Amino acid sequence: MKKILLACSAGMSTSLLVTKMEQHVAAIGEDVKIWAVGQDKAKTEMANADVVLIGPQMSFLKGELQQAADQYGIKVDVIDMMAYGMADGKKAYEQALSLIG
């Protein structure tokens, strides 16, 4: 099972994207856990994830979060701006998959 963590300032703006990603995953029949947290919980929650996607408003934290993620051997990236703005679950899921490898 793949595990995808989304993080944003309060964990609320990524909640809609999580829903859209879950709908896409259900449609293609994949077994994936996707959840969202606020930036204050991102470092502790990443221990349970295969990849971390952060909201564009948190892009300034990417380096710091990647440093924390290195101990788990996972990648951190900023959610594609168009996917984020359009709540494009398919595009965000594909971004996460490309980072998991």
Side-chain angles (χ1 to χ4, degrees), residues 16-82:
L16 175 61
L17 188 55
V18 166
T19 301
K20 296 291 188 173
M21 289 173 75
E22 288 173 337
Q23 289 170 351
H24 173 69
V25 166
I28 61 172
E30 301 244 341
D31 187 22
V32 182
K33 177 183 177 185
I34 307 167
W35 74 108
V37 297
Q39 71 183 43
D40 57 328
K41 296 195 174 167
K43 288 182 184 175
T44 55
E45 288 287 322
M46 68 175 51
N48 304 311
D50 295 320
V51 66
V52 179
L53 294 178
I54 61 174
Q57 73 276 23
M58 285 179 50
S59 60
F60 68 97
L61 289 174
K62 182 182 176 193
E64 178 184 329
L65 291 172
Q66 183 60 66
Q67 220 173 11
D70 285 345
Q71 66 183 312
Y72 306 112
I74 62 173
K75 293 184 180 172
V76 174
D77 200 8
V78 178
I79 301 167
D80 176 88
M81 188 81 82
M82 286 297 288

